[in-house]
């Protein structure tokens, strides 16, 4: 299966409210349409995770990020620009004022965790889907994150609607993203270095 066919199939499943397993710019992820509350609930159920713990969303561009945050603070744009310039670890930003997303994806304080992916497969997937994509590590809550396809438990593989073919042969270390909380007043907190 070509990468193009793989992405097309994944997008079809996502548009129908399905849940997928896919390679990201960090570890393998469980994904769904970030605007579909039922799909988001399924992801929480599959992970056996309390829905008070927020999930990360992936987007393909600055423009797409602006669709989901009421007012992106200047410090966020400065950070995003600096991340694009260097060879930096993927970085997730927690931003206030989440909009246009499934209500059960938005934290109690109204924030959302977003990451602009630069990795070719997940970037193209987000671009073709034209919406934010949930991206939470492919594991049952409390278990180690699946760095590669071979690390995903059979239990998880059975619970999703589609498992992407791209990058299945890969065997190399991957790490979760850095997480930084940015407030409207410019306050910056590093949550996960």
């Amino acid at each position: 299966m070509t990468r193009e066919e793989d992405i097309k199939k994944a997008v079809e499943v996502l548009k129908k409210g399905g849940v997928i397993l896919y390679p990201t710019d960090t570890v393998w992820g469980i994904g769904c349409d970030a605007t579909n509350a039922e799909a988001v609930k399924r992801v929480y159920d599959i992970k056996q995770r309390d829905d008070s713990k927020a999930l990360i969303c992936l987007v393909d561009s600055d423009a797409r990020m602006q669709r989901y945050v009421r007012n992106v603070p200047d410090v966020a744009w400065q950070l995003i620009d600096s991340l694009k310039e260097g060879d930096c670890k993927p970085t997730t930003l927690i931003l206030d004022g989440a909009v246009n997303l499934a209500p059960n994806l938005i934290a109690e304080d109204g924030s959302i965790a977003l990451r602009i992916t630069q990795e070719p497969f997940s970037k193209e997937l987000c671009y073709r889907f034209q919406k934010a994509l949930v991206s939470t590590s492919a594991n049952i809550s409390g278990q180690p994150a699946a760095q590669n396809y071979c690390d995903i438990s059979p239990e998880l593989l059975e619970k999703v609607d589609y498992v992407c073919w791209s990058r299945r042969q890969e065997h190399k270390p991957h790490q979760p993203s850095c997480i930084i909380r940015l407030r409207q007043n410019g306050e910056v907190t590093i949550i996960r270095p």
Side-chain angles (χ1 to χ4, degrees):
M1 179 181 286
T2 67
R3 189 173 90 172
E4 194 70 27
E5 291 167 334
D6 197 13
I7 287 172
K8 187 177 177 193
K9 178 69 177 154
V11 168
E12 285 171 14
V13 170
L14 291 165
K15 284 183 175 175
K16 292 177 185 169
V19 175
I20 66 168
L21 284 171
Y22 67 109
T24 75
D25 52 343
T26 59
V27 296
W28 269 69
I30 302 174
C32 73
D33 177 350
T35 67
N36 182 328
E38 284 186 35
V40 171
K41 183 184 181 315
R42 268 195 66 209
V43 170
Y44 278 115
D45 291 347
I46 289 168
K47 274 191 75 85
Q48 298 169 25
R49 183 172 177 164
D50 181 356
D51 66 7
S52 68
K53 289 187 173 180
L55 301 174
I56 291 170
C57 294
L58 279 190
V59 293
D60 63 320
S61 65
D62 302 4
R64 187 110 41 222
M65 185 172 83
Q66 286 184 281
R67 274 195 208 166
Y68 302 111
V69 178
R70 192 170 286 114
N71 186 12
V72 179
D74 289 342
V75 68
W77 295 124
Q78 293 164 9
L79 186 56
I80 289 164
D81 288 345
S82 70
L83 291 170
K84 285 179 188 171
E85 289 168 14
D87 184 25
C88 297
K89 180 178 180 181
T91 301
T92 301
L93 303 179
I94 300 176
L95 301 166
D96 293 323
V99 290
N100 304 320
L101 292 164
N104 54 343
L105 195 57
I106 299 170
E108 281 182 23
D109 66 1
S111 67
I112 188 67
L114 285 170
R115 184 168 73 249
I116 300 171
T117 179
Q118 300 301 331
E119 182 273 327
F121 182 85
S122 55
K123 188 174 185 77
E124 180 77 7
L125 178 61
C126 289
Y127 175 74
R128 296 279 171 213
F129 185 52
Q130 294 286 299
K131 292 184 188 175
L133 195 58
V134 166
S135 180
T136 182
S137 56
N139 61 320
I140 303 297
S141 198
Q143 294 179 358
Q147 293 185 36
N148 296 288
Y149 170 76
C150 61
D151 301 322
I152 301 171
S153 73
E155 177 188 2
L156 217 53
L157 293 169
E158 290 169 14
K159 290 185 176 183
V160 300
D161 303 304
Y162 183 70
V163 182
C164 290
W165 289 90
S166 298
R167 292 178 47 202
R168 281 195 188 185
Q169 304 308 316
E170 209 171 77
H171 292 280
K172 61 183 190 180
H174 294 279
Q175 295 179 327
S177 67
C178 173
I179 300 178
I180 300 176
R181 176 78 162 99
L182 300 176
R183 299 212 179 261
Q184 286 295 336
N185 65 5
E187 183 184 321
V188 176
T189 309
I190 296 174
I191 295 178
R192 183 169 67 199

